[in-house]
Amino acid sequence: FKIKCDDFKTYGNKVIDELTAFAENKDGWRVADDNREGIRIFFDNAEGWLLLRLSVHDPIMPLNIESDVIGGTIKIAEDFYDFIKAYEDLDLTSLTNYIF
């Protein structure tokens, strides 16, 4: 996701911090213990995970989603979208094009 504000590192870190707090309290979401960059969340209902991180040099937040079940990545993307849609300084076009 392209970050549309000047202080992209602060904004990206805020998104990751708030996602971490949200995921720790969300049923069926489990934050990985070994996060080294960004945040990895496991999703019980989709037998998969997502990784959201902040680029070191560019104003972007790469997102990776994987699942072991058919339709699992869509389910994870939909669940994640319910959280991430509140961040107006992220260009979520790629995610919304995938879901909708």
Side-chain angles (χ1 to χ4, degrees), residues 3-18:
I3 301 173
K4 304 182 286 187
C5 64
D6 291 333
D7 190 0
F8 71 91
K9 287 188 179 187
T10 299
Y11 190 80
N13 285 321
K14 174 186 172 194
V15 171
I16 290 170
D17 290 345
E18 291 178 2

Side-chain angles (χ1 to χ4, degrees), residues 44-88:
D44 295 338
N45 65 345
E47 296 180 27
W49 54 267
L50 70 73
L51 170 66
L52 180 68
R53 66 180 185 83
L54 177 61
S55 172
V56 175
H57 303 290
D58 299 312
I60 60 171
M61 296 190 79
L63 173 69
N64 299 83
I65 300 175
E66 290 191 17
S67 175
D68 292 331
V69 297
I70 295 172
T73 58
I74 290 286
K75 178 65 179 149
I76 292 170
E78 290 171 341
D79 289 351
F80 175 66
Y81 180 74
D82 286 340
F83 167 82
I84 203 72
K85 67 184 177 187
Y87 294 88
E88 295 178 0

Side-chain angles (χ1 to χ4, degrees), residues 20 23-24 29-43 49-51:
T20 301
E24 287 173 343
W29 293 28
R30 293 178 290 115
V31 177
D33 294 332
D34 63 345
N35 286 312
R36 290 182 179 80
E37 58 176 322
I39 179 173
R40 182 182 307 266
I41 302 170
F42 295 98
F43 292 79
W49 54 267
L50 70 73
L51 170 66

